[in-house]
Amino acid sequence: MKRPGCIPQATWDVIPPEAQAVLAVVIAAFEVQIADLKASLEQDSSNSSRPPSSDPPHLKPAQQRRPSGRRRGGQPGHRRNDRIRLEADEVVDAKPDRRRRCGEALAGDDPGPIVRQVFEVPEVRPRVVEYRTHRLSCPHCGASSCGELPDEAELGYGPRTQAVCAALAGDGRMSKRRVARVMEWLFGLPIGPASVCELERRTAEAPAPIHAEVVEHIRELPADVDETSWRQGRDRGWLWTATTRRLAAFRVAASRGRDAFAELMGRSPPWVVTSDRYSAYSHLPAERRQACWAHTIRTQSTNRPIRRRLLGSAILPIARPRRLLRARA
């Protein structure tokens, strides 16, 4: 039995042969684990799938720009950006009534006056539409009937209010309470955080038919599929994406498994799927799966000598599918 390098020869000689075999296997397993841990410590966004935001500060030193010798501000020859002149809602003429030297009275208009515009946000107040449901009784049978209300009357807020709340909460990344305060400050519209949540939910459900149509169309095309972690409050989810040349579909799932992939692309996509070597895609046949070359390059650049020997045999069946060129055409 070959002696491991971490054990001195004198200590190895006193160990029984049966124990030497077991000890050698255990030490070899620990050496593999230590090599993997060292490789993970050397990973960054350039040689792994980690995002650039996870890189340590010392990895990318700040680039020191050399002084150009030019003065601050606009340089000679740059395009001038003037304030856009808009159509005036109100015109106020400032005319002198007397000459400043002799005091003689002045009259008339200047054909080329100096124009200075002042922009102001219009005063906004809520536009309230009051719906009154009437209950009327039939003079013949005595049955009563009520009028029908539109959908916006059920929640109490119109489509423009819904769009503004969704934009502030989604694109503006404001909390529900802050959105409620902003709506009251800017528009004088009283609204509670719970109503903001309901409006945001309705806005998210509005494009559901369009999303379903996009997903159905992507399933019939060659697509690039990937997944990343996605927080849903305190729960951990996964954001799946499928992209083609012109379309992209996103789906948040509770798992990262094969079932989540099937919800996005179906059980057996008819065309080539480009992905990494994650096990959720291992059920795809070799002729309909393309390995991402960026992940392959990252794997080759990491310090994993034991796994690198298995790299070629692992990616060979899925590296160059025969139908790739025909699918991309």
Side-chain angles (χ1 to χ4, degrees), residues 4 6 21 26 31 44 46 80 84 150 165 175 199 203 251 265 271 287 294 314 318:
C6 60
V26 174
E31 288 179 348
D44 51 55
S46 62
R80 182 176 178 177
I84 300 176
C165 288
S175 65
L199 293 176
T203 305
R251 184 183 184 91
M265 294 297 297
W271 290 101
E287 64 272 11
I318 57 177

Side-chain angles (χ1 to χ4, degrees), residues 199-211:
L199 293 176
E200 190 176 6
R201 184 190 65 81
R202 291 193 176 193
T203 305
E205 294 178 353
I210 302 176
H211 181 268

Side-chain angles (χ1 to χ4, degrees), residues 78-266:
H78 82 287
R79 189 177 69 176
R80 182 176 178 177
N81 293 324
D82 293 328
R83 181 182 297 181
I84 300 176
R85 183 176 177 180
L86 304 178
E87 183 179 355
D89 298 312
E90 180 184 358
V91 178
V92 179
D93 292 318
K95 297 182 180 180
D97 53 354
R98 295 183 179 277
R99 296 185 61 179
R100 59 179 181 177
R101 290 185 179 180
C102 61
E104 186 178 352
L106 296 175
D109 294 326
D110 185 356
I114 301 174
V115 177
R116 188 181 297 274
Q117 290 189 335
V118 177
F119 299 157
E120 180 60 287
V121 177
E123 183 179 356
V124 180
R125 61 180 302 273
R127 180 178 179 270
V128 181
V129 178
E130 184 176 281
Y131 293 92
R132 298 180 179 181
T133 304
H134 294 264
R135 184 186 298 271
L136 302 178
S137 300
C138 178
H140 300 286
C141 64
S144 62
S145 302
C146 290
E148 296 182 359
L149 296 178
D151 294 338
E152 63 183 57
E154 298 295 334
L155 182 60
Y157 299 99
R160 282 193 292 271
T161 303
Q162 175 178 332
V164 173
C165 288
L168 294 177
D171 189 53
R173 298 182 178 275
M174 295 184 180
S175 65
K176 308 302 182 288
R177 295 185 181 275
R178 181 169 295 181
V179 171
R181 290 197 298 265
V182 170
M183 295 296 291
E184 187 174 1
W185 292 342
L186 296 183
F187 307 110
L189 193 152
I191 186 173
S195 298
V196 175
C197 293
E198 179 63 20
L199 293 176
E200 190 176 6
R201 184 190 65 81
R202 291 193 176 193
T203 305
E205 294 178 353
I210 302 176
H211 181 268
E213 185 177 353
V214 170
V215 170
E216 183 178 359
H217 188 65
I218 286 180
R219 289 180 177 180
E220 304 298 327
L221 296 173
D224 300 339
V225 182
D226 198 5
E227 79 291 332
T228 186
S229 58
W230 185 267
R231 287 287 180 182
Q232 291 280 65
R234 296 183 178 181
D235 299 330
R236 184 180 184 182
W238 298 92
L239 176 64
W240 289 78
T241 176
T243 59
T244 63
R245 290 182 177 179
R246 297 184 179 180
L247 296 174
F250 298 89
R251 184 183 184 91
V252 178
S255 69
R256 196 188 178 191
R258 190 173 301 175
D259 293 338
F261 170 78
E263 293 177 0
L264 180 63
M265 294 297 297

